[in-house]
Amino acid sequence: MKTICFYFQIHQPFRLKRYRFFDIGSDHYYYDDFSNEDIIRGIANRTLLPANAMLLDLIKEYKGKFKVAFSLSGVILEQLEIYVPEAIDGFKELAKTGCVEFIAETYDHSLASLKDSEEFKNQVKAHSDKIQLLFGQTPTVFRNTELIYSDDIAQSVYEMGYKAMMIEGAKHVLGWKSPNYLYVSAGCPKLKLLVRNMKYSDDISFRFSNYDWSEYPLVSDKLINWIAASPESEQIVNIWMNYEVLGSLQPSETGIFEFFKAIPRFALAKGIGFSMPSEVANVLKPSGELTAPYPCSWAGEEKDINPWLGNRLQQEAVAKLYGIGERVRMVRDRRLRQDWDYLQASDHFNFMSTKLFPGPSVYSPYENAYDAFNNYMNVLSDFIDRVNGQFPANIENEELNALLTTILNQEKEIKRLKKELETSTKKPESEEKPAAIKPKKTVVH
């Protein structure tokens, strides 16, 4: 029986405000709160709230036969908690149905998997904890930021305890193979790989309302007929996209919601079911292995990492950021750690792409890539100064680690001695109180 695996990504960064060189050292708040709130509320009203309601209705209507999966970065979850908590409630309702799976990813939607293995593991753990806290699920399937994948990353993901990972169906990774099978990593054969079907995913994401597309209009029964006509051995079709396709990237007036509402009816009539990623990984047998010696992603035509690391600006910014990673992990200042998280969002480096953003764009808040670079580096300079204020740059990391270990041990010893002192000053309950001494009577003659 063929099955469709629907998956939606949801992420938005904390956008930076206009931060000038003269702000360095005097202003330690970096974010454009007005823009962030406006964007999140707009996305919630156009996509999150109506789409969540639609999916909940479909799950109930088809009595659990319709299933989907989500990945929500930690930074989008924080913004929703601040600005649109009702959206979080909607996801909680979906989680209760048992027909929605939440996928693990990096908390910050970062490039840590490429630059800092320790930070990568910390973020994945933090994200999994956040999902468990909000939705009561412990993710068992992993998807990296922008589906960035390589053999080395696969090994790290498996070592973190994940048995399956979601990747892009890039031609230089798949070769002649079809994305409609389950695979394993060549470098880590115990890690199963689910592969995105680029054609069907992009047909919905980018071509749905394109009048010039030869297959326009795309209607539900046409999509299902394409899937039904595929070879019988191809049992899984992974349709993965940005959740904003529903209502934002494809506005509601295009008919995108009606299109999705009709999919389960036509699919089930053709004997095509729906599965969550973990179900696919547990049920289907791998048909082969895939290798990716160099990182690939789901972005652009080349499906590589150039959208974030393709020019000198991006490379300089990323190197500068992760160059202080070890020091930041020693910091206990909650505000510094929070800024560290927000500054790692891959979007900041994407805005520096001279290929994607040579000039103004609706997708970038900057005039051009150089403007994005200058603004980010000003912020990063102030952030680094704050880190150095706690741990001076002229002290080696090893020396700092030894010092912090000594301080930590001293704190533990102080707590132990304090506890002993409190115990020794307490009187045992079983111990009898000494009898009161009666004063002697004075005899007056």
Side-chain angles (χ1 to χ4, degrees), residues 143-156:
R143 64 87 65 187
N144 200 11
T145 303
E146 305 297 332
L147 292 187
I148 293 174
Y149 172 79
S150 70
D151 292 339
D152 291 338
I153 293 173
Q155 183 65 42
S156 297

Side-chain angles (χ1 to χ4, degrees), residues 319-357:
K320 195 85 170 177
L321 175 69
Y322 285 105
I324 60 168
E326 191 171 349
R327 282 176 164 327
V328 176
R329 282 190 287 275
M330 301 177 193
V331 170
R332 297 185 183 182
D333 186 314
R334 183 176 177 182
R335 177 73 178 277
L336 271 173
R337 294 300 296 266
Q338 187 180 59
D339 289 337
W340 167 246
D341 285 339
Y342 296 168
L343 291 177
Q344 287 187 70
S346 63
D347 312 70
H348 300 309
F349 312 109
N350 184 255
F351 296 148
M352 300 176 197
S353 171
T354 50
K355 181 178 179 181
L356 297 175
F357 304 109

Side-chain angles (χ1 to χ4, degrees), residues 17-297:
K17 67 182 181 183
R18 178 62 63 179
Y19 194 89
R20 295 174 173 80
F21 175 79
F22 298 103
D23 294 324
I24 299 173
S26 61
D27 183 3
H28 304 318
Y29 191 77
Y30 310 134
Y31 313 104
D32 186 344
D33 290 336
F34 177 81
S35 177
N36 287 325
E37 181 175 0
D38 184 60
I39 289 171
I40 292 301
R41 288 191 182 278
I43 292 172
N45 291 329
R46 293 189 303 269
T47 296
L48 304 184
L49 300 178
N52 283 356
M54 177 191 72
L55 294 179
L56 185 61
D57 288 342
L58 289 176
I59 291 170
K60 292 178 178 179
E61 180 181 353
Y62 293 98
K63 296 178 173 56
K65 293 181 180 179
F66 181 72
K67 302 175 182 181
V68 297
F70 289 101
S71 72
L72 298 91
S73 67
V75 290
I76 188 65
L77 286 171
E78 289 190 22
Q79 291 181 77
L80 292 176
E81 286 177 311
I82 296 170
Y83 300 121
V84 198
E86 58 268 32
I88 295 288
D89 293 337
F91 286 113
K92 288 180 178 179
E93 288 298 314
L94 287 169
K96 291 176 183 177
T97 65
C99 297
V100 173
E101 180 175 6
F102 291 91
I103 308 300
E105 67 157 286
T106 55
Y107 190 94
D108 308 330
H109 201 78
S110 73
L111 303 177
S113 63
L114 300 171
K115 294 297 179 180
D116 190 330
S117 59
E118 185 176 351
E119 180 66 20
F120 179 46
K121 293 176 182 178
N122 290 345
Q123 285 191 29
V124 174
K125 174 66 166 57
H127 182 265
S128 180
D129 291 344
K130 186 75 172 179
I131 294 299
Q132 172 62 42
L133 176 66
L134 289 177
F135 309 121
Q137 292 187 18
T138 299
T140 59
V141 178
F142 181 77
R143 64 87 65 187
N144 200 11
T145 303
E146 305 297 332
L147 292 187
I148 293 174
Y149 172 79
S150 70
D151 292 339
D152 291 338
I153 293 173
Q155 183 65 42
S156 297
V157 171
Y158 179 74
E159 290 174 357
M160 284 187 274
Y162 293 94
K163 306 301 182 185
M165 184 172 178
M166 303 165 71
I167 70 171
E168 172 67 350
K171 293 180 181 179
H172 58 280
V173 175
L174 272 177
W176 55 268
K177 298 175 182 176
S178 167
N180 302 333
Y181 293 95
L182 185 68
Y183 295 94
V184 296
S185 168
C188 186
K190 293 185 178 180
L191 182 70
K192 297 178 181 179
L193 301 177
L194 290 82
V195 184
R196 177 177 179 260
N197 187 303
M198 285 195 302
K199 182 185 183 307
Y200 298 148
S201 301
D202 290 350
D203 282 348
I204 300 172
S205 299
F206 306 116
R207 295 182 279 271
F208 181 79
S209 59
N210 183 1
Y211 291 92
D212 296 327
W213 181 36
S214 60
E215 295 292 344
Y216 181 87
L218 179 61
V219 290
S220 305
D221 57 341
K222 180 187 290 188
L223 174 66
I224 297 303
N225 285 336
W226 288 345
I227 295 173
S230 61
E232 188 62 32
S233 59
E234 296 184 0
Q235 294 187 324
I236 175 66
V237 178
N238 295 309
I239 301 179
W240 305 341
M241 65 200 90
N242 192 319
Y243 201 33
E244 291 176 46
V245 167
L246 300 178
S248 295
L249 300 178
Q250 298 292 344
S252 58
E253 55 265 27
T254 64
I256 190 68
F257 285 100
E258 288 69 24
F259 168 78
F260 262 89
K261 289 176 184 177
I263 285 177
R265 176 163 58 89
F266 288 109
L268 295 172
K270 290 279 188 179
I272 299 173
F274 297 89
S275 298
M276 296 180 289
S278 61
E279 293 177 327
V280 173
N282 291 333
V283 173
L284 297 185
K285 292 183 178 180
S287 63
E289 60 183 32
L290 299 175
T291 184
Y294 304 103
C296 62
S297 75

